[in-house]
Amino acid sequence: MSTVPGFLLDRVTVTRGPTRLLDGVCARLPAGACTAVVGPSGAGKSTLLRLLNRLEDPSTGQILLNSTPLAELEVLALRRRVGLVAQQPVLLTNHVAEELRVGRAELTEHRIQHLLDLVGLPARFAQRRTSGLSGGEAQRVCLARTLAVEPEVLLLDEPTAALDAVTTAVITEAARNHTAAGGTVILVSHDLPLVRGIAEHVLVLHHGRLVAHGHPDHIDYLEAG
Amino acid sequence: MTGLSVPSWGGVAASLLLIALTAAVAYRQRLHLTRELITASLRAGAQLAAVGVLLLVIFAHTGLPGAFGWVTIMILLAGQVAGRRGTGLPRARWAATLGVAVGSLVTLATLLGLGIISTQARVVVPIGGMIVSGAMQAAGVALRRLREDAQQARPAIEARLCLGLPARDAFLPHQRSALRTALLPAIDSTKVVGLISLPGAMTGLILAGVDPLTAIRYQIVVMYMLLAATALAALTAARLVEHALFDHAHRLIPLPEPH
């Protein structure tokens, strides 16, 4: 079998009760690039992301990562390779430094400073209580927490929804840096400027079906369609 | 011992006057509780009479096997009651029953094995009852808390899973919180025992004519055994539920929405 870098979705269907969240999706999400998944609410975008780190499994069809079915990979190792930043920031501990160590307990002070720098937060934030963070700061800490695990693939689920311009800029930059370093980014977003700014490839979902895919320059047309 | 002083059957009948008084208050105040009050009082009397007869038979004829049979029935009933607290969780009744069984039997076996209490049925049954009751409350509280967390803290649990944490670690903060909630009442009542109210076992012994310094020895053992039963029951039930809450791919299974 030849190695196809990145994710390959092969006739992926997800049903929940009577509802088809994804319906026979075939797509390729290439490694080392940023792919954006767009579409109206309820189109199945977040479900697609949850399949990629096996928070959910397809009802039928399969997903391959570098030509290996996800189901054959050790799931905990897979989740460390495929990091997910959720739409709503969820902080798990009391202090920022502690937060960054949730997925990697042995993180050094130096590395913590570096991660905070990557997400545009000053070094003193390491000692800050998480309860006092703004929404944008919390989202950046969540991004740093995911980056601490050093994932190959970064899944971003509406990471800038309802957040400030600075946070949006930081997340954009982090996504660009990730692909520049050879990593993969899969972005779910309604934010078309963000998609145009960082994505090299766009998938359009509608009612669980892949209705179009292509270069982001066509995104207005695709969205309207 | 200074002699046994318990009410005669005539005394028991006379105590019905207190129920009549309560019923009169309920009636006069139009609480609409009179019928329920009378039913509850008569039912309590009948239940206790039946239990008394059954215990008499167990104590007189069946010995330790009969006592353990009785304790087993209590464990099964307690498991059902505690399991209801976790309705919505997978295998809640099974987890509760096993939790109560482990908490009760380990504690009881320790008390018997170390010769702390006598192997007489008349000792094993009431001590077993206290242990099962404590274990039931702890398992019930732990399951209720676990259910609330599994329903409401899904984003936090999944955030930990997304960082590659195994299910057990992802759920650990919630399990700890449930165990603390289950254990704190037992620890609190251990702290204030004898200060706020005289506890049941000690009260019973004193009423039966045992001198207080002897009665407290029993009470100390009772408090310690309740702590052990509580901790073991809550921990066992919580671990079993945790196993049922996650699938083989370390995913929190779908649960019914909270009401």
Side-chain angles (χ1 to χ4, degrees), chain A residues 12 22 47-54 56-58 63 70:
Chain A
V12 170
L22 287 176
T47 303
L48 191 149
L49 280 198
R50 289 168 64 84
L51 294 173
L52 300 181
N53 71 352
R54 293 201 65 207
E56 291 186 38
D57 278 342
I63 299 172
L70 291 190

Side-chain angles (χ1 to χ4, degrees), chain A residues 22-38:
Chain A
L22 287 176
D23 191 358
V25 173
C26 293
R28 191 168 156 235
L29 312 173
C34 177
T35 301
V37 183
V38 300

Side-chain angles (χ1 to χ4, degrees), chain A residues 147-190:
Chain A
L147 292 174
V149 185
E150 298 176 28
E152 295 165 36
V153 181
L154 202 50
L155 308 176
L156 303 173
D157 188 0
E158 302 272 10
T160 59
L163 291 181
D164 54 277
V166 176
T167 301
T168 303
V170 163
I171 290 172
T172 307
E173 189 62 22
R176 279 205 195 102
N177 289 341
H178 195 72
T179 49
T184 306
V185 174
I186 318 287
L187 166 73
V188 162
S189 184
H190 281 109

Side-chain angles (χ1 to χ4, degrees), chain B residues 158-237:
Chain B
E158 290 193 340
R160 291 190 195 91
L161 294 172
C162 284
L163 293 166
L165 268 64
R168 193 178 165 190
D169 291 351
F171 198 58
L172 196 58
H174 307 284
Q175 195 188 78
R176 281 197 186 125
S177 156
L179 291 179
R180 283 178 61 83
T181 308
L183 288 181
L184 279 175
I187 292 172
D188 283 347
S189 61
T190 304
K191 275 188 207 159
V192 299
V193 67
L195 300 178
I196 291 179
S197 67
L198 290 184
M202 189 172 159
T203 305
L205 286 167
I206 291 172
L207 283 173
V210 173
D211 74 82
L213 282 178
T214 306
I216 60 160
R217 293 210 305 263
Y218 232 112
Q219 190 59 49
I220 289 170
V221 170
V222 165
M223 297 313 294
Y224 293 172
M225 79 186 189
L226 286 179
L227 284 175
T230 301
L232 290 172
L235 179 63
T236 306

Side-chain angles (χ1 to χ4, degrees), chain A residues 50 53-57 75-76 79-80 84 90 92 102-103 145-146 149, chain B residues 154-167 248-251:
Chain A
R50 289 168 64 84
N53 71 352
R54 293 201 65 207
L55 274 183
E56 291 186 38
D57 278 342
V75 69
L76 300 181
R79 292 201 184 124
R80 298 180 82 81
L84 172 70
V90 179
L92 306 166
V102 172
R145 184 180 68 193
T146 301
V149 185
Chain B
R154 178 177 283 273
I157 295 166
E158 290 193 340
R160 291 190 195 91
L161 294 172
C162 284
L163 293 166
L165 268 64
H248 65 283
H250 299 264
R251 287 180 293 225

Side-chain angles (χ1 to χ4, degrees), chain A residues 65-80:
Chain A
L65 175 59
N66 302 339
S67 299
T68 306
L70 291 190
E72 289 178 17
L73 297 169
E74 205 280 309
V75 69
L76 300 181
L78 172 74
R79 292 201 184 124
R80 298 180 82 81

